[in-house]
Amino acid sequence: MAEVDIITPVEKASRLLSRLDIDFYDVFASFSRNISVTILGRGVREAYSRVDVGIGVRVFKNKGMGVAFSQSLDDSDVETTVNRAVSFASIAQPDPYFKGLPAPSRAPEIPGLCDSEIVHLTLEDASRISREMIDASEEIRRGAMYFGGFSAVYGKGHLVTSTGVDVGVEKTSISAYLQPVYREGDDVGSSYEFDYSVSLRDIDPRWIGRKAAEKAIEQLGSKRVESGSLPLILLPESSSSLFSSLLVALSGEAAVKGRTFASNILGRQIGPENLEIVDDGTIPGAIASSTYDGEGVPKRPLKVVEKGKVLSFLHNSYSAGIMNVESTGHAIRGGYSGQVGAGPSNIRVKPGDEALDEIISETRRGILVASASFSPNMVSGEFSTTIDEGFLIEGGEKKHPVKNLMAGGHILDLFRNIETISKEGRTFGRGHFFPAVKIRDVKLSGK
Amino acid sequence: MRDLLELVVESGLKKGASFCEVRYFEERGSSVSVENGVAKILSSGILRGIGVRVIANKCWGFASTNVVTRESAERALIDAIGCARAITSHAGEEAKIVEVDPSVDFIKHDVKINPEDVGPEEKVKKALELERAAREFSDRVKDAFVVYRDVLTRVIVCNSFGTFVEEITPRTHISCRVIAREGDNMQEGYERVGCVAGYELIEGISVENFSLRAAKRAVSLLSAKPPPRGTYTVVVDPRVGGLFIHEAIGHNSEGDHVFSGGSIISDKLGQKIASDLVTIIDDPTIVGYGHFIYDHEGVRARPHIIIRDGVLVGFLHSLESAAKLGSKPEGSARAQSHHYPPIVRMSNTYLAPGDMTLEEILEDINAGIYLSGSQYGYVESEKGQFTCKVEEAWLIERGELTEHLRDVAISGLTLEALKNISAVGKDLRIEMPGMCGKAGQSMFVDAGAPHFRIDGIVVGGRR
């Protein structure tokens, strides 16, 4: 598929806007090519090829914002998009918190974010990778029904602002997922495995297939357990939701305007002394890395939690302006639709000292959580969640999978009650790192 | 446009496809976001493109493009056929579909006031008025937001059966979110209204039945308590009931989940799977947020009875799932946009009313929980385990609602919960307009129920 020129329409929009009586603007256009294969039932079901282009314009006049976007890059559509954004900006009312858009700043390019193997990946390759996942699963145990898929994306974008930012981005990503379902009468064993990365060579489809099958088989024979207060051991696949939720709640406008559970925890001790969380969008070849953020501000590592104490919010220019500080480079642009928010990039939680096996063997009675989301109500911090996949631990051993079990509480209580952080963990997309964590006294609802 | 789409379909057959479908999609929309008395953001956008789906070599292939030209559409066709051929040597089950009689039709849903004829100033004025009432309700209201959105969707389906159907659907939606605060305690209230309708929907909204409700809920939740933990008899209001029906049974009845092993009820057609009081219907012909006349495979939509008097009598179908399960397609396949192929989706899904009043449902419950207002839910359909998060709840003690509760969620097993429905009210309301996510696609749906009672549901909480 021939690539689409996105620079010319951005320049055209910018030229039109620069002649008008407005205060600030930014223009962003993107092109992406996505090939994907879906797995359903007994095997590979369908292949897709998608090409997406679009342009989005934000215009600020008297601190009011007008936004317009179009999936067409034709001259007339670009002009219409610009005119809409301008007319909306003149109707929108002044936002007293808006201070302007960031000035340009140069940064060295983060290497390894565009894998030529993905750029040139064929549908035959995607189909073969999907088949490999299924074959590896079938080698563990035959007869599953499957959900899953494989997707590879090459995308590029170009941002120009009235303050002089003029940056281009180019990135690849790949993801693979397999969920086998085994049935034995009315008993169902189901689980999933996944991986994602910037580079094709990081993904091992056979490992995904094997792990998915092993985990699904382990889920057969699930039983209910009684309500009570027990320790939870969150494996990295579920501890990720705990840490990600904290960083999301510390991000941007909602955080600094006092609208999240984390708005008032800056400088406070929220967890044990050995809890350390760094957000780093500069890791070469990592999934959430980029040279610049969504507003053209260079990415930089940010220590968010040190010795259990919260050190910083994650800012875009808007939230930084409210607090009269510099942006931390955490603006996130939602494609060409024109919305710009803030959020984490690669989240790295420092590993602890104890082996996961030891943490489990030292647990007299508890729940090992393989899959559950601990994302709370972002305003109140309260959560009430189903343990989608978990195991009862008794006498230091996994006894059986659990079902119909819920955990409830406040997310800051979970952090406060972190007892142990494992020394092993899982790296996702060469960027995020999450260890397992043991949390004491979590309220559980069961039979 | 017709010439272009028919040309591509014809070309697809000539190139060896046994089935070819070309779908044009266009969505124009505008929105207004108000925050604490300021109309902060006004926006608009246009999505437009063509999606081509084929069966070639007994495999599915799909390709899409935003560029609506003959050259680009033919390129998408070649890519779609290439997709199908690329997976031939690795394919699982053979792609097959039910052959249906062609439909040729043009549908334009009438509205009293076309949102595109209403100026942005007027939309801003109304949104500000609604937001102001919420913000001024109490000094404990910390923040109030109103978001207005209108979307005009135009879908044209052209396929090798000879179908050529065009449907133009306006949807209007408005939501109000309120954050109330007292010390470190912050709570939210939320209201939304949405339908296949024009701006008349917004003009019909008063602060009393919309933004003031959200504000009152947020403030009253400040003094609500966490729920007790354990297994309880619960009574659900129409919104929680709609969420339960959508998550617990709706997704399980989707034909693609059924034929692919992803449904807990795949082998239970004709069997009793729910109490006698349970009749569940998915009806795209009701004018709700999930309303349409033709699905995105060009099949005319009809009401679908999923469960009748406790017996599983049908599934929701696409052309494919109908072929694989030996049934007739009755219009349940929809796609988010031209970038996605149609998949089986719910529309307006509801529990049919019974004959009890809320008081009668509550009266013999000694200790239970009344659940009100839906936030979100999800289901692991293959296991039949669902979770529903609700906005607020009350303890039921000796048939009366007593202590106000917040942050409540329920979890259950579909097949147990359906059998444990022990009372159904007569006050059916379908008022849960929202977007349902499935397989990476988001789709307009609605859901509802009368008040009803379920025994033995796990309630999550902190006490």
Side-chain angles (χ1 to χ4, degrees), chain B residues 89-114:
Chain B
S89 58
H90 300 298
E93 295 171 32
E94 181 183 324
K96 54 181 177 181
I97 53 171
V98 164
E99 198 157 326
V100 292
D101 292 335
S103 302
V104 177
D105 208 347
F106 172 76
I107 305 287
K108 187 174 182 190
H109 295 262
D110 288 331
V111 295
K112 286 185 184 146
I113 305 170
N114 182 352

mmCIF file of all heavy atoms in Angstrom, chain B residues 89-114:
data_model
loop_
_atom_site.group_PDB
_atom_site.id
_atom_site.type_symbol
_atom_site.label_atom_id
_atom_site.label_comp_id
_atom_site.label_asym_id
_atom_site.label_seq_id
_atom_site.Cartn_x
_atom_site.Cartn_y
_atom_site.Cartn_z
ATOM 1 N N SER B 89 -4.034 -21.358 3.796
ATOM 2 C CA SER B 89 -3.321 -22.561 4.244
ATOM 3 C C SER B 89 -3.342 -22.724 5.764
ATOM 4 O O SER B 89 -2.931 -23.755 6.285
ATOM 5 C CB SER B 89 -1.881 -22.535 3.725
ATOM 6 O OG SER B 89 -1.249 -21.373 4.183
ATOM 7 N N HIS B 90 -3.776 -21.695 6.493
ATOM 8 C CA HIS B 90 -3.798 -21.790 7.956
ATOM 9 C C HIS B 90 -5.206 -21.707 8.520
ATOM 10 O O HIS B 90 -5.387 -21.619 9.734
ATOM 11 C CB HIS B 90 -2.969 -20.646 8.557
ATOM 12 C CG HIS B 90 -1.546 -20.661 8.137
ATOM 13 N ND1 HIS B 90 -0.699 -21.699 8.430
ATOM 14 C CD2 HIS B 90 -0.831 -19.771 7.427
ATOM 15 C CE1 HIS B 90 0.497 -21.438 7.935
ATOM 16 N NE2 HIS B 90 0.453 -20.281 7.303
ATOM 17 N N ALA B 91 -6.195 -21.680 7.656
ATOM 18 C CA ALA B 91 -7.557 -21.381 8.119
ATOM 19 C C ALA B 91 -8.119 -22.464 9.027
ATOM 20 O O ALA B 91 -7.752 -23.646 8.913
ATOM 21 C CB ALA B 91 -8.468 -21.189 6.921
ATOM 22 N N GLY B 92 -9.009 -22.052 9.904
ATOM 23 C CA GLY B 92 -9.694 -22.999 10.776
ATOM 24 C C GLY B 92 -10.921 -23.528 10.064
ATOM 25 O O GLY B 92 -10.822 -24.310 9.104
ATOM 26 N N GLU B 93 -12.097 -23.046 10.501
ATOM 27 C CA GLU B 93 -13.325 -23.534 9.859
ATOM 28 C C GLU B 93 -13.575 -22.808 8.535
ATOM 29 O O GLU B 93 -13.184 -21.662 8.377
ATOM 30 C CB GLU B 93 -14.504 -23.276 10.801
ATOM 31 C CG GLU B 93 -14.419 -24.058 12.084
ATOM 32 C CD GLU B 93 -15.478 -23.622 13.086
ATOM 33 O OE1 GLU B 93 -16.570 -23.229 12.647
ATOM 34 O OE2 GLU B 93 -15.196 -23.667 14.287
ATOM 35 N N GLU B 94 -14.269 -23.496 7.648
ATOM 36 C CA GLU B 94 -14.623 -22.920 6.363
ATOM 37 C C GLU B 94 -15.574 -21.733 6.566
ATOM 38 O O GLU B 94 -16.501 -21.810 7.370
ATOM 39 C CB GLU B 94 -15.322 -24.014 5.547
ATOM 40 C CG GLU B 94 -15.750 -23.598 4.179
ATOM 41 C CD GLU B 94 -16.497 -24.743 3.485
ATOM 42 O OE1 GLU B 94 -16.134 -25.923 3.681
ATOM 43 O OE2 GLU B 94 -17.449 -24.447 2.763
ATOM 44 N N ALA B 95 -15.326 -20.663 5.814
ATOM 45 C CA ALA B 95 -16.236 -19.513 5.883
ATOM 46 C C ALA B 95 -17.511 -19.847 5.119
ATOM 47 O O ALA B 95 -17.446 -20.271 3.971
ATOM 48 C CB ALA B 95 -15.571 -18.294 5.264
ATOM 49 N N LYS B 96 -18.634 -19.699 5.769
ATOM 50 C CA LYS B 96 -19.884 -19.892 5.025
ATOM 51 C C LYS B 96 -20.958 -18.946 5.547
ATOM 52 O O LYS B 96 -20.905 -18.501 6.696
ATOM 53 C CB LYS B 96 -20.351 -21.340 5.086
ATOM 54 C CG LYS B 96 -20.501 -21.943 6.453
ATOM 55 C CD LYS B 96 -20.943 -23.397 6.297
ATOM 56 C CE LYS B 96 -21.036 -24.075 7.644
ATOM 57 N NZ LYS B 96 -21.422 -25.476 7.562
ATOM 58 N N ILE B 97 -21.912 -18.667 4.685
ATOM 59 C CA ILE B 97 -22.998 -17.761 5.045
ATOM 60 C C ILE B 97 -24.316 -18.303 4.508
ATOM 61 O O ILE B 97 -24.332 -19.099 3.576
ATOM 62 C CB ILE B 97 -22.777 -16.336 4.484
ATOM 63 C CG1 ILE B 97 -22.515 -16.394 2.972
ATOM 64 C CG2 ILE B 97 -21.680 -15.623 5.207
ATOM 65 C CD1 ILE B 97 -22.498 -15.031 2.325
ATOM 66 N N VAL B 98 -25.386 -17.833 5.112
ATOM 67 C CA VAL B 98 -26.718 -18.162 4.620
ATOM 68 C C VAL B 98 -27.029 -17.261 3.420
ATOM 69 O O VAL B 98 -26.759 -16.065 3.459
ATOM 70 C CB VAL B 98 -27.761 -17.895 5.734
ATOM 71 C CG1 VAL B 98 -29.159 -17.851 5.166
ATOM 72 C CG2 VAL B 98 -27.675 -18.957 6.795
ATOM 73 N N GLU B 99 -27.558 -17.840 2.380
ATOM 74 C CA GLU B 99 -27.963 -17.023 1.238
ATOM 75 C C GLU B 99 -29.333 -16.426 1.534
ATOM 76 O O GLU B 99 -30.249 -17.147 1.949
ATOM 77 C CB GLU B 99 -28.009 -17.883 -0.018
ATOM 78 C CG GLU B 99 -27.982 -17.042 -1.260
ATOM 79 C CD GLU B 99 -27.464 -17.809 -2.472
ATOM 80 O OE1 GLU B 99 -26.579 -18.669 -2.320
ATOM 81 O OE2 GLU B 99 -27.977 -17.540 -3.552
ATOM 82 N N VAL B 100 -29.465 -15.141 1.333
ATOM 83 C CA VAL B 100 -30.755 -14.496 1.629
ATOM 84 C C VAL B 100 -31.258 -13.756 0.395
ATOM 85 O O VAL B 100 -30.485 -13.418 -0.503
ATOM 86 C CB VAL B 100 -30.638 -13.501 2.809
ATOM 87 C CG1 VAL B 100 -30.365 -14.218 4.105
ATOM 88 C CG2 VAL B 100 -29.569 -12.455 2.541
ATOM 89 N N ASP B 101 -32.577 -13.514 0.389
ATOM 90 C CA ASP B 101 -33.154 -12.735 -0.704
ATOM 91 C C ASP B 101 -32.605 -11.317 -0.642
ATOM 92 O O ASP B 101 -32.412 -10.767 0.445
ATOM 93 C CB ASP B 101 -34.686 -12.684 -0.571
ATOM 94 C CG ASP B 101 -35.305 -14.054 -0.799
ATOM 95 O OD1 ASP B 101 -34.663 -14.879 -1.495
ATOM 96 O OD2 ASP B 101 -36.397 -14.313 -0.266
ATOM 97 N N PRO B 102 -32.363 -10.725 -1.802
ATOM 98 C CA PRO B 102 -31.811 -9.358 -1.785
ATOM 99 C C PRO B 102 -32.819 -8.337 -1.245
ATOM 100 O O PRO B 102 -34.033 -8.512 -1.417
ATOM 101 C CB PRO B 102 -31.503 -9.081 -3.260
ATOM 102 C CG PRO B 102 -32.334 -10.045 -4.041
ATOM 103 C CD PRO B 102 -32.523 -11.252 -3.173
ATOM 104 N N SER B 103 -32.304 -7.338 -0.601
ATOM 105 C CA SER B 103 -33.135 -6.204 -0.149
ATOM 106 C C SER B 103 -32.671 -4.964 -0.891
ATOM 107 O O SER B 103 -31.459 -4.742 -1.033
ATOM 108 C CB SER B 103 -32.943 -5.950 1.342
ATOM 109 O OG SER B 103 -33.265 -7.085 2.090
ATOM 110 N N VAL B 104 -33.631 -4.178 -1.346
ATOM 111 C CA VAL B 104 -33.294 -2.890 -1.947
ATOM 112 C C VAL B 104 -34.188 -1.857 -1.260
ATOM 113 O O VAL B 104 -35.418 -1.955 -1.315
ATOM 114 C CB VAL B 104 -33.533 -2.892 -3.472
ATOM 115 C CG1 VAL B 104 -33.232 -1.509 -4.052
ATOM 116 C CG2 VAL B 104 -32.667 -3.948 -4.147
ATOM 117 N N ASP B 105 -33.561 -0.920 -0.573
ATOM 118 C CA ASP B 105 -34.378 -0.002 0.224
ATOM 119 C C ASP B 105 -33.580 1.252 0.575
ATOM 120 O O ASP B 105 -32.339 1.250 0.528
ATOM 121 C CB ASP B 105 -34.836 -0.707 1.517
ATOM 122 C CG ASP B 105 -36.162 -0.156 2.032
ATOM 123 O OD1 ASP B 105 -36.593 0.902 1.556
ATOM 124 O OD2 ASP B 105 -36.765 -0.808 2.917
ATOM 125 N N PHE B 106 -34.307 2.285 0.926
ATOM 126 C CA PHE B 106 -33.682 3.514 1.423
ATOM 127 C C PHE B 106 -34.459 3.946 2.666
ATOM 128 O O PHE B 106 -35.683 4.090 2.627
ATOM 129 C CB PHE B 106 -33.763 4.622 0.361
ATOM 130 C CG PHE B 106 -33.316 5.962 0.881
ATOM 131 C CD1 PHE B 106 -31.965 6.246 1.049
ATOM 132 C CD2 PHE B 106 -34.241 6.938 1.234
ATOM 133 C CE1 PHE B 106 -31.562 7.479 1.539
ATOM 134 C CE2 PHE B 106 -33.842 8.175 1.724
ATOM 135 C CZ PHE B 106 -32.487 8.440 1.875
ATOM 136 N N ILE B 107 -33.757 4.087 3.762
ATOM 137 C CA ILE B 107 -34.402 4.455 5.033
ATOM 138 C C ILE B 107 -33.768 5.745 5.538
ATOM 139 O O ILE B 107 -32.539 5.829 5.679
ATOM 140 C CB ILE B 107 -34.178 3.363 6.119
ATOM 141 C CG1 ILE B 107 -34.653 1.995 5.642
ATOM 142 C CG2 ILE B 107 -34.821 3.775 7.442
ATOM 143 C CD1 ILE B 107 -36.139 1.823 5.578
ATOM 144 N N LYS B 108 -34.611 6.700 5.838
ATOM 145 C CA LYS B 108 -34.105 7.906 6.512
ATOM 146 C C LYS B 108 -34.980 8.121 7.732
ATOM 147 O O LYS B 108 -36.187 8.359 7.592
ATOM 148 C CB LYS B 108 -34.167 9.105 5.573
ATOM 149 C CG LYS B 108 -33.514 10.327 6.166
ATOM 150 C CD LYS B 108 -33.450 11.475 5.192
ATOM 151 C CE LYS B 108 -32.741 12.638 5.862
ATOM 152 N NZ LYS B 108 -32.831 13.849 5.087
ATOM 153 N N HIS B 109 -34.392 8.001 8.898
ATOM 154 C CA HIS B 109 -35.170 8.164 10.133
ATOM 155 C C HIS B 109 -35.561 9.631 10.279
ATOM 156 O O HIS B 109 -34.700 10.520 10.235
ATOM 157 C CB HIS B 109 -34.340 7.715 11.340
ATOM 158 C CG HIS B 109 -34.027 6.255 11.334
ATOM 159 N ND1 HIS B 109 -34.746 5.340 12.053
ATOM 160 C CD2 HIS B 109 -33.093 5.543 10.664
ATOM 161 C CE1 HIS B 109 -34.254 4.130 11.844
ATOM 162 N NE2 HIS B 109 -33.246 4.223 10.996
ATOM 163 N N ASP B 110 -36.853 9.849 10.441
ATOM 164 C CA ASP B 110 -37.336 11.222 10.550
ATOM 165 C C ASP B 110 -37.071 11.785 11.940
ATOM 166 O O ASP B 110 -37.189 11.072 12.937
ATOM 167 C CB ASP B 110 -38.843 11.265 10.290
ATOM 168 C CG ASP B 110 -39.140 11.023 8.814
ATOM 169 O OD1 ASP B 110 -38.273 11.362 7.986
ATOM 170 O OD2 ASP B 110 -40.210 10.468 8.510
ATOM 171 N N VAL B 111 -36.738 13.041 11.966
ATOM 172 C CA VAL B 111 -36.627 13.729 13.257
ATOM 173 C C VAL B 111 -37.418 15.024 13.161
ATOM 174 O O VAL B 111 -37.643 15.537 12.064
ATOM 175 C CB VAL B 111 -35.158 14.041 13.622
ATOM 176 C CG1 VAL B 111 -34.375 12.777 13.836
ATOM 177 C CG2 VAL B 111 -34.499 14.915 12.551
ATOM 178 N N LYS B 112 -37.805 15.535 14.317
ATOM 179 C CA LYS B 112 -38.541 16.797 14.305
ATOM 180 C C LYS B 112 -37.578 17.971 14.090
ATOM 181 O O LYS B 112 -37.880 18.896 13.357
ATOM 182 C CB LYS B 112 -39.292 16.979 15.633
ATOM 183 C CG LYS B 112 -40.506 16.066 15.737
ATOM 184 C CD LYS B 112 -41.309 16.350 16.991
ATOM 185 C CE LYS B 112 -42.445 15.332 17.086
ATOM 186 N NZ LYS B 112 -42.765 14.969 18.440
ATOM 187 N N ILE B 113 -36.426 17.906 14.762
ATOM 188 C CA ILE B 113 -35.448 18.995 14.608
ATOM 189 C C ILE B 113 -34.097 18.376 14.247
ATOM 190 O O ILE B 113 -33.492 17.657 15.072
ATOM 191 C CB ILE B 113 -35.303 19.818 15.908
ATOM 192 C CG1 ILE B 113 -36.678 20.331 16.364
ATOM 193 C CG2 ILE B 113 -34.331 20.968 15.709
ATOM 194 C CD1 ILE B 113 -36.680 20.935 17.754
ATOM 195 N N ASN B 114 -33.651 18.638 13.048
ATOM 196 C CA ASN B 114 -32.341 18.133 12.628
ATOM 197 C C ASN B 114 -31.245 18.849 13.417
ATOM 198 O O ASN B 114 -31.146 20.083 13.358
ATOM 199 C CB ASN B 114 -32.183 18.404 11.122
ATOM 200 C CG ASN B 114 -30.861 17.870 10.592
ATOM 201 O OD1 ASN B 114 -30.006 17.439 11.358
ATOM 202 N ND2 ASN B 114 -30.715 17.911 9.282
#
